[in-house]
Each structure stands twice: as structure tokens, then as C-alpha cells.
């Protein structure tokens, strides 16, 4: 600190001494914690979350259970069957037509009803694998920006190909590829948009991406309704958007993360990005400024010889505190992923108009993002997450009171009602809380780990979320005959996740560290100072 002060004095006196600062210090002191340039960057990056939302939630409509059927044969007309399961093929038809959904086109009802959960389950499994791949690529040679670009282009291609699926098996394979392709959008957009923001605004900025995810969620019913007679058309429409975004917005206007550039040894490029941000904000960086490279300090100290052959990810798994932290984050993420995506997919079991119910849930995402942004400004991350998870769990359990069982044959087409207005209202509140917990957990994970493994750690969280999400469609299909059990499982898992998060450290107003060694050293110092402060307080009381 004394050397930095001397350098600053020398700069003011016209002395040409070299001024070395970390990225955090440059952002806070010269660029601005959150100026116009960072706002534009955040918005442009976060636009990609719209396509992430489209790709994830499109199956609510394309794989929807048809609501009604009618007789077309004399034999059918003479029966009093409440479902299609006891009727012969060719004696009935779907009222909305055979191309209204994959279930209608490929007959995924009755004894084949659990096949309807396969495409969504493998989609999330693809996301799980894709999260690991894109997490490594984004922390490695590819970088944040090019990882988003690759993810968007692959998403556009795989969504378009999905519209030509000839059967449920090819459709499931292509949905798996959809999930793999889109995995890079969420994790890389979050990291890219937060790594140039000062610590004061980091939590609020991290919520912007979730606002655009909610915008995509809200727009899906608007796109799906005009295409309700042909599920293939819906896929073709949403495949165009990420392609246009990649070519006309992402490539020419979005900058790479200066933190990633610095960690990769490209300090001059990182400095150029920061200069550009400062210029747009109406500021200027000192001409003698250079960035302090983390590889030249902490990592050399660890090796003792100036070399550290182990990769950051290998050091992560060899660092006890980081492994404990990562394990707890992943266990928490599994429960929240199961509940968050499961509640979205479970809207058909509420027995309301599908487009209306999806729109209600989508609109609940917006106050969730707003509440999360406001609360993150003055509330601890751990407290906000656990409280949201508990509220989700309680709401899901309350939904059981208003649930009614399906027909005794377990058919998806039942004449009995399975939902009510109070249940819809409670479910909406629960989903809003789940959305808040989901969003906060991502911000929490960004702050728990340093730059050289941050994208990898967020990708690991993403994998645990997707693992939970991949199992939830099976519960949703089962919930067509037992909605109360469905809500019970959601409630219990959410409450467990809330309790698990209490073992994680608080990160509010903490800096973003560059390496594992730097973070471990600083957190140990902070812990020692905290212990000293507590002892001094006890002595004063005595």
C-alpha cells in the first residue's frame, strides 16, 4: 500500500513512475463502479438469456398434453369412456389436430405417457454436460465472449434441426443437443456481465440477465399461441433469433472480460478494454498505468520456483476449503434446480388455460428479479437465498391442500378438475420465491470463487441445477395422476436446500479475487481480524 501511495504521488508530481493496480482497483478508482459503458455491455450480453429461456421452456407448449379429444367412429360414440386409453386407434382424434404437440403427433399417452418426459429430461442432461464443457472453455482458451458466441450459434442450429424430427427418439436426441448447446449462454453471460462491475453494484447487475430470461419466458406464450396448430413452426421461429443476435450484436459490440484477458497473460488487451470503458464513462486512465498480473504474485509464491504446473481447476480440487464450498453449492443447486424447473413444467397440472398459466408464472419472474436486485443491495446473500427457499417450500406444501387426484386409471385426459384459483395464487408466490432463490444462488456462486476458476465453478453449479431439472419432468408426468405428491416433493427439496445454504460463507461487499491462493490468503486475514475484533470486544465488556 505504501508503494502504491508513492506511485500515486509520483504521478501527480509528474514523475513517470509505473502505476500497477488490480482490475478491481482500476474499476473502482478510474473506470467507475457502474457507468454507462458497463450498463450497455450488461444489456447487450444479457439479451442472449432470452434465447436461453426460449430453448428451455418451449417444450411447455410443443410437448403439451392435448386438452380434449372427440369421437370419429360409431364404436367410440357408443361408449362412455372418460379417457382415450380404452378406445381403439382410428375411432377418435385430438380436437386441436395431430400436429398441435409431440404428444398428439406420436401418441405419447396411456402406456406410452412416460415417454413424454424423455425429451425434457435428456435436454437437461445435455445442459449438464454442456455446462462442464463450456465452463472449461470459457475459463480456458476460448474466453467468455467466444463461448457465448459458440453457444448461441449452436443453439440456433440445433433448434432449427429439431423442427424436422421424425419420431420421439430423434426428437429426444436433438433436444439433448439443444441442452448441450445452450449451456454456455447462462453461465458465460452472467460471468461476462459481472466481471467489469464494482463490488457495490455486482449483485444488482447479476440480476439483469434473469430479467431478460423472464422476458423470454413471457414472450414464449405470445409466440406459441399463433403456432398452436403446428409445434414445428414454433421451433423454426425461435431458431432465427439467436443467429441474428450473434451476427449483428454480440460479435461487433460486446467486449471480452478484462479479468479473463489478464489471467491469460494478455494484460495490454485487458487494459485496452478498461480504457474504452473509461472513455465512454467520460473518464481517463493514467498513461503510466499497468495491471497487476495475479500470475506474477500469488502463484509464484505458491510454487516457490516461479512456476506452478498444476492448472487452476486441479488446484481447486486440491484445496480443502474450495472443495467443501463447491460441494455445498452443488447440493444446494440440485434441490433448487429440481424445484425451479419442475414448478415451471408442472403448470399443466393446475388445470387452467396453459397460455394464461405460463404468462402468470412468467410475470412472477419480473418481481422476483426486482425483489432480488433490491434486497441484494442491503441483505446478506445467504439470508436472502435461504429465506426464498423456505418460502418456496412452504408454498408448495400449501398447494397440496388444493390438489385433487387425477382419474383412477392414471390417464392424462381426465374429466376431474385438478386445480383451483387459490392453488394458482399460492403456486405463483412459490414460483416467485423459487425464481429469487435461483437467481441469488448464481450471484452467490460468482462471489464465492476467484477469476481463474469462476466460470468453471458457475458451470458446476449449473450442472447440479440441470441434474435436478433433468429428474423433475418425470415427477411432472407422475403428477398428472397425483398432484399432491408432486407438490410435497418440491416443498421438501426446497426446504432442504435452504438449510444447506446456511453452511456457506457470506460474500456481501467482498472483493472478487483473481486466484485461489489470493482468496485463501485474504479470507484467512479477514478471519483473523474478525477473531481479534471479537476478543477485543469481550475484553472491553469485562
Amino acid at each position: 500500500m505504501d508503494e502504491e501511495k508513492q506511485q500515486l504521488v509520483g504521478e501527480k508530481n509528474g514523475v513517470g513512475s509505473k502505476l500497477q493496480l488490480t482490475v478491481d482497483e482500476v474499476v473502482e478508482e478510474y473506470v467507475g463502479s457502474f457507468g454507462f459503458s458497463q450498463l450497455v455491455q450488461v444489456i447487450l450480453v444479457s439479451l442472449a438469456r432470452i434465447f436461453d429461456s426460449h430453448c428451455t421452456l418451449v417444450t411447455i407448449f410443443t410437448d403439451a398434453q392435448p386438452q380434449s379429444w372427440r369421437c370419429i367412429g360409431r364404436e367410440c360414440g357408443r361408449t362412455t369412456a372418460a379417457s382415450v386409453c380404452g378406445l381403439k386407434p382410428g375411432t377418435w382424434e385430438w380436437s386441436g389436430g395431430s400436429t398441435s404437440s409431440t404428444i398428439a403427433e406420436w401418441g405419447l399417452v396411456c402406456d406410452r405417457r412416460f415417454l413424454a418426459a424423455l425429451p425434457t429430461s435428456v435436454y437437461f442432461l445435455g445442459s449438464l454436460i454442456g455446462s462442464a464443457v463450456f465452463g472449461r472453455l470459457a475459463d480456458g482458451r476460448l474466453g467468455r465472449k467466444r463461448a457465448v458466441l459458440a453457444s448461441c450459434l449452436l443453439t440456433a442450429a440445433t433448434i432449427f434441426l429439431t423442427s424436422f424430427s421424425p419420431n420421439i427418439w430423434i426428437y429426444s436426441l436433438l433436444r439433448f443437443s439443444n441442452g448441450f448447446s445452450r449451456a454456455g449462454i447462462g453461465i458465460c453471460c452472467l460471468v461476462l456481465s459481472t466481471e467489469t462491475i464494482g463490488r457495490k453494484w455486482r449483485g444488482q447487475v447479476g440480476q439483469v440477465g434473469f430479467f431478460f430470461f423472464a422476458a423470454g419466458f413471457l414472450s414464449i406464450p405470445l409466440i406459441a399461441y399463433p403456432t398452436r396448430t403446428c409445434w414445428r413452426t414454433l421451433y423454426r421461429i425461435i431458431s432465427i433469433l439467436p443467429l441474428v443476435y450473434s451476427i449483428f450484436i454480440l460479435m461487433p459490440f460486446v467486449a471480452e472480460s478484462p479479468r479473463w484477458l489478464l489471467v491469460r497473460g494478455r494484460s495490454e488487451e485487458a487494459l485496452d478494454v478498461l480504457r474504452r470503458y473509461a472513455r465512454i464513462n467520460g473518464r481517463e486512465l493514467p498513461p503510466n498505468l499497468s495491471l497487476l498480473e495475479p500470475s506474477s504474485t500469488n502463484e509464484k509464491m505458491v510454487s516457490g520456483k516461479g512456476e506452478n504446473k498444476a492448472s487452476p481447476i486441479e488446484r481447486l480440487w486440491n484445496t480443502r476449503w474450495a472443495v467443501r464450498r463447491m460441494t455445498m453449492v452443488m447440493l444446494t443447486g440440485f434441490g433448487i434446480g429440481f424445484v425451479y424447473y419442475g414448478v415451471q413444467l408442472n403448470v399443466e397440472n393446475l388445470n387452467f388455460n396453459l397460455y394464461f398459466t405460463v404468462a402468470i408464472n412468467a410475470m412472477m419472474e419480473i418481481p422476483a428479479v426486482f425483489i432480488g436486485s433490491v434486497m441484494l443491495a442491503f441483505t446478506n446473500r445467504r439470508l436472502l437465498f435461504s429465506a426464498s427457499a423456505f418460502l418456496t417450500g412452504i408454498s408448495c406444501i400449501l398447494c397440496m391442500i388444493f390438489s385433487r387426484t387425477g382419474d383412477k386409471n392414471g390417464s392424462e385426459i381426465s374429466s376431474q378438475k385438478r386445480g383451483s384459483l387459490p392453488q394458482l395464487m399460492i403456486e405463483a408466490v412459490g414460483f416467485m420465491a423459487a425464481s429469487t432463490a435461483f437467481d441469488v444462488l448464481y450471484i452467490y456462486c460468482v462471489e464465492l470463487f476467484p477469476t481463474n476458476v469462476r466460470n468453471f465453478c458457475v458451470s458446476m453449479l449449473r450442472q447440479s441445477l440441470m441434474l435436478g431439472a433433468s429428474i423433475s419432468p418425470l415427477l411432472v408426468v407422475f403428477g398428472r395422476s397425483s398432484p399432491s405428491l408432486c407438490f410435497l416433493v418440491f416443498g421438501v427439496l426446497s426446504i432442504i436446500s435452504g438449510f444447506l445454504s446456511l453452511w456457506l460463507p457470506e460474500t456481501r461487499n467482498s472483493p472478487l479475487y483473481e486466484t485461489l491462493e489470493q482468496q485463501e490468503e485474504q479470507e484467512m486475514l479477514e478471519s483473523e481480524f474478525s477473531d481479534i475484533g471479537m476478543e477485543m470486544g469481550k475484553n472491553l465488556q469485562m
Side-chain angles (χ1 to χ4, degrees), residues 26 121 127 190 227 262 265 310 318 368 400 440 454 458 498-499:
V26 174
S121 290
S127 295
L190 176 63
T227 63
L262 182 63
N318 291 325
M400 295 174 56
V440 170
R454 184 171 298 122
V458 176
F499 277 116

Side-chain angles (χ1 to χ4, degrees), residues 172-365:
S172 298
L173 178 63
L174 288 170
R175 285 300 291 165
F176 176 87
S177 66
N178 291 165
F180 179 91
S181 301
R182 56 77 70 163
I185 295 178
I187 55 176
C188 299
C189 285
L190 176 63
V191 174
L192 182 57
S193 62
T194 55
E195 286 192 331
T196 55
I197 307 299
R199 66 184 69 176
K200 178 182 177 182
W201 295 97
R202 195 186 307 138
Q204 291 87 331
V205 166
Q207 295 286 298
V208 174
F210 301 116
F211 175 81
F212 282 95
F213 186 92
F217 191 2
L218 189 58
S219 66
I220 270 284
L222 302 177
I223 302 172
Y225 188 76
T227 63
R228 61 191 179 279
T229 59
C230 184
W231 63 269
R232 299 177 188 272
T233 304
L234 178 56
Y235 273 110
R236 289 165 190 163
I237 291 174
I238 65 173
S239 70
I240 299 171
L241 302 177
L243 180 63
V244 173
Y245 166 80
S246 300
I247 297 173
F248 296 105
I249 296 178
L250 180 62
M251 286 172 36
F253 297 115
V254 173
E256 182 55 89
S257 166
R259 292 181 185 272
W260 177 81
L261 291 170
L262 182 63
V263 168
R264 298 296 297 179
R266 297 157 62 177
S267 57
E268 285 302 317
E269 294 179 57
L271 201 54
D272 287 340
V273 173
L274 293 172
R275 284 197 187 100
R276 194 181 316 138
Y277 285 149
R279 186 171 60 252
I280 296 173
N281 288 346
R283 301 188 177 196
E284 187 177 352
L285 301 188
N288 61 339
L289 175 66
S290 64
L291 294 175
L292 187 63
E293 297 186 20
S295 59
S296 64
T297 54
N298 299 85
E299 292 182 6
K300 287 185 179 180
M301 291 171 61
V302 173
S303 65
K305 298 180 180 180
E307 294 182 0
N308 196 339
K309 296 182 179 180
S311 69
I313 295 175
E314 289 173 342
R315 293 200 299 276
L316 170 70
W317 296 122
N318 291 325
T319 306
R320 186 175 298 177
W321 66 267
V323 171
R324 286 199 303 265
R325 192 172 295 185
M326 190 76 259
T327 302
M328 200 59 63
V329 166
M330 292 182 68
L331 289 174
T332 303
F334 173 83
I336 289 300
F338 188 100
V339 175
Y340 175 74
Y341 287 107
V343 170
Q344 293 181 64
L345 298 172
N346 195 49
V347 292
E348 66 176 270
N349 291 330
L350 297 175
N351 200 46
F352 280 89
N353 179 274
L354 183 61
Y355 300 92
F356 173 76
T357 309
V358 171
I360 290 293
N361 272 2
M363 286 188 288
M364 296 307 290
E365 285 258 25

Side-chain angles (χ1 to χ4, degrees), residues 101-118:
S101 73
T102 58
I103 290 179
E105 182 166 338
W106 296 321
L108 307 181
V109 294
C110 304
D111 58 338
R112 303 185 70 206
R113 66 182 183 276
F114 283 103
L115 283 178
L118 180 62

Side-chain angles (χ1 to χ4, degrees), residues 264-507:
R264 298 296 297 179
R266 297 157 62 177
S267 57
E268 285 302 317
E269 294 179 57
L271 201 54
D272 287 340
V273 173
L274 293 172
R275 284 197 187 100
R276 194 181 316 138
Y277 285 149
R279 186 171 60 252
I280 296 173
N281 288 346
R283 301 188 177 196
E284 187 177 352
L285 301 188
N288 61 339
L289 175 66
S290 64
L291 294 175
L292 187 63
E293 297 186 20
S295 59
S296 64
T297 54
N298 299 85
E299 292 182 6
K300 287 185 179 180
M301 291 171 61
V302 173
S303 65
K305 298 180 180 180
E307 294 182 0
N308 196 339
K309 296 182 179 180
S311 69
I313 295 175
E314 289 173 342
R315 293 200 299 276
L316 170 70
W317 296 122
N318 291 325
T319 306
R320 186 175 298 177
W321 66 267
V323 171
R324 286 199 303 265
R325 192 172 295 185
M326 190 76 259
T327 302
M328 200 59 63
V329 166
M330 292 182 68
L331 289 174
T332 303
F334 173 83
I336 289 300
F338 188 100
V339 175
Y340 175 74
Y341 287 107
V343 170
Q344 293 181 64
L345 298 172
N346 195 49
V347 292
E348 66 176 270
N349 291 330
L350 297 175
N351 200 46
F352 280 89
N353 179 274
L354 183 61
Y355 300 92
F356 173 76
T357 309
V358 171
I360 290 293
N361 272 2
M363 286 188 288
M364 296 307 290
E365 285 258 25
I366 297 174
V369 173
F370 178 76
I371 291 170
S373 300
V374 173
M375 296 295 287
L376 282 170
F378 58 86
T379 305
N380 290 345
R381 276 65 165 142
R382 182 173 54 194
L383 175 62
L384 180 57
F385 173 82
S386 59
S388 300
F390 292 148
L391 179 58
T392 302
I394 294 170
S395 299
C396 289
I397 292 173
L398 287 176
C399 281
M400 295 174 56
I401 300 174
F402 302 97
S403 295
R404 304 176 188 176
T405 58
D407 67 29
K408 61 184 180 181
N409 295 321
S411 170
E412 299 87 343
I413 303 300
S414 172
S415 61
Q416 299 182 25
K417 291 186 178 294
R418 294 172 292 182
S420 62
L421 184 59
Q423 185 191 49
L424 177 62
M425 295 171 63
I426 295 171
E427 187 270 349
V429 172
F431 177 71
M432 183 178 69
S435 179
T436 301
F438 186 90
D439 298 351
V440 170
L441 186 58
Y442 268 111
I443 306 300
Y444 202 3
C445 185
V446 166
E447 297 177 341
L448 283 169
F449 299 96
T451 299
N452 62 346
V453 293
R454 184 171 298 122
N455 226 100
F456 172 76
C457 292
V458 176
S459 74
M460 293 294 290
L461 168 62
R462 181 82 166 194
Q463 289 177 68
S464 63
L465 290 165
M466 294 304 103
L467 181 60
S470 67
I471 303 173
S472 63
L474 298 173
L475 182 63
V476 171
V477 171
F478 184 79
R480 291 168 183 167
S481 56
S482 181
S484 58
L485 179 60
C486 194
F487 284 114
L488 176 63
V489 174
F490 287 146
V492 170
L493 273 178
S494 185
I495 292 173
I496 290 174
S497 295
F499 277 116
L500 289 175
S501 67
L502 299 177
W503 275 267
L504 290 170
E506 183 50 52
T507 60

